[in-house]
Amino acid sequence: MARTIRIGVIGCGFYAQNHLNAWRDLAPDGAALAAVCDVDPAKAKTAGETFGVPWYTDVKAMLGAEKLDAIDIVTRQDTHRAIAETTIAHGVSTIVQKPFAPTWEDATAIVDAARKAGVWLAVHENFRFQAPLRAVRKVIDSGAIGQPSWARITFRTGFDVYKTQPYFLDEEKLVIADVGVHVLDVSRFLLGDVSRISCEIQRRNPRVKAEDDTATMLLRHESGAVSVVEATYEARRADDWFPETLLEIEGPRGSIIVTAGCNMKVTSDGKATTSDIGAPLLSWTSHPWHVSQEGAMGACRHFLDCLQRGVPAETRGKDNLRTYALVDAAYRAAAEHRAVAPVKWI
């Protein structure tokens, strides 16, 4: 039987509910949600009572009282470094929600701390674990379209994200750091690492403090492929398919097109097939959030499997620095009005 992994979740806010439900549902596979923590006593207490586990308001107190194999940090990014360095210092395997950290310095410090301590570290970069995107990756791996040479990957919505996460209005960096990081990671997942990136940002909503509620990026991949990556919270359309990622990928043998409603059309050697690549609703998911929620479940399932087998995660800390470097490079490219090569961490 697979080894049981005792998990503590730090952060019991809006999106953390998906992590909590995912870990609970993975109990038959060996996950044991063992404790929760939040600086807000009301949130911690509610989560603890809902999921039937001890609750805490202090991270060190939880680590001292509970025997935990892994910690899932689902808090605001400005808290990630301090919390991660604490859990790493206790020798506990650590999962950090994206964005990894507010700065490159903070992100690399977390990775370096884990490396020196020999602690397993992963980033909850969950778009790539969504059922539609795993289906696309499977088609690419089959060779049906050949080596991808061009793609457009887009996340465009007018869904009111500020209603559920009002702090977005006051962020210094917004769409690239929040959802653009996901879409950039998808570009790496599907087409490989990036040699340079250009970026144009816009602020189309006057309520937003950040300069970027919309970003249009052009990537040159190390394979020679080119991708256009788009992200905005300011799209205005009657049919808003939030939070789906739509895409087109072309190769020498054909193409993959994913349209709204999780529909995929694959053309290979002149023959086309269509399929529904969505996943069924879970007991705790609902539209329109389901695609995102199911991706969180997929990521947690992957982390659990890796922890049980003692192997690095697909989105291990060191690898995710390559995605974080794209975010950093995109902001620099927008500010400097030129293509920028992402920083490489040794």
Side-chain angles (χ1 to χ4, degrees), residues 35-97:
V36 297
C37 179
D38 197 291
V39 293
D40 184 331
K43 290 180 180 178
K45 182 174 185 290
T46 297
E49 291 177 348
T50 299
F51 293 92
V53 297
W55 58 273
Y56 299 85
T57 57
D58 180 80
V59 172
K60 291 181 179 179
M62 182 177 74
L63 291 168
E66 304 290 338
K67 183 176 176 55
L68 300 171
D69 299 300
I71 288 288
D72 189 1
I73 300 169
V74 202
T75 58
R76 288 180 59 167
Q77 62 172 326
D78 57 332
T79 68
H80 288 178
R81 179 175 176 177
I83 296 174
E85 288 181 338
T86 298
T87 60
I88 289 167
H90 280 74
V92 181
S93 296
T94 299
I95 305 165
V96 183
Q97 176 66 298

Side-chain angles (χ1 to χ4, degrees), residues 55-220:
W55 58 273
Y56 299 85
T57 57
D58 180 80
V59 172
K60 291 181 179 179
M62 182 177 74
L63 291 168
E66 304 290 338
K67 183 176 176 55
L68 300 171
D69 299 300
I71 288 288
D72 189 1
I73 300 169
V74 202
T75 58
R76 288 180 59 167
Q77 62 172 326
D78 57 332
T79 68
H80 288 178
R81 179 175 176 177
I83 296 174
E85 288 181 338
T86 298
T87 60
I88 289 167
H90 280 74
V92 181
S93 296
T94 299
I95 305 165
V96 183
Q97 176 66 298
K98 71 83 212 167
F100 200 177
T103 67
W104 176 255
E105 178 186 11
D106 288 335
T108 55
I110 296 171
V111 173
D112 201 42
R115 179 184 61 80
K116 290 177 179 177
V119 169
W120 188 96
L121 173 68
V123 178
H124 210 291
E125 183 56 70
N126 56 53
F127 269 38
R128 65 162 68 195
F129 292 103
Q130 294 173 4
L133 294 171
R134 298 314 271 198
V136 171
R137 181 70 251 184
K138 187 175 181 180
V139 173
I140 292 173
D141 291 342
S142 75
I145 70 166
Q147 179 70 30
S149 54
W150 181 90
R152 174 179 285 117
I153 305 168
T154 179
F155 186 99
R156 307 190 70 85
T157 185
F159 185 86
D160 189 1
V161 295
Y162 311 109
K163 183 176 181 179
T164 54
Q165 294 160 291
Y167 59 86
F168 277 179
L169 292 169
D170 297 317
E171 294 285 5
E172 296 290 340
K173 297 178 178 178
L174 181 56
V175 80
I176 302 176
D178 181 60
V179 73
V181 62
H182 280 315
V183 195
L184 288 167
D185 188 69
V186 169
S187 74
R188 284 190 60 231
F189 175 57
L190 299 178
L191 287 90
D193 284 320
V194 176
S195 57
R196 62 180 180 268
I197 181 172
S198 301
C199 177
E200 294 292 339
I201 59 174
Q202 297 169 279
R203 177 171 57 194
R204 297 159 64 189
N205 185 337
R207 297 170 58 210
V208 171
K209 180 179 180 180
E211 293 295 329
D212 64 311
D213 57 33
T214 300
T216 306
M217 295 165 276
L218 179 65
L219 286 62
R220 182 77 177 198

Side-chain angles (χ1 to χ4, degrees), residues 320-337:
N320 191 257
L321 285 181
R322 297 183 181 184
T323 294
Y324 192 97
L326 284 180
V327 174
D328 178 68
Y331 280 116
R332 286 190 288 123
E336 298 170 15
H337 309 292

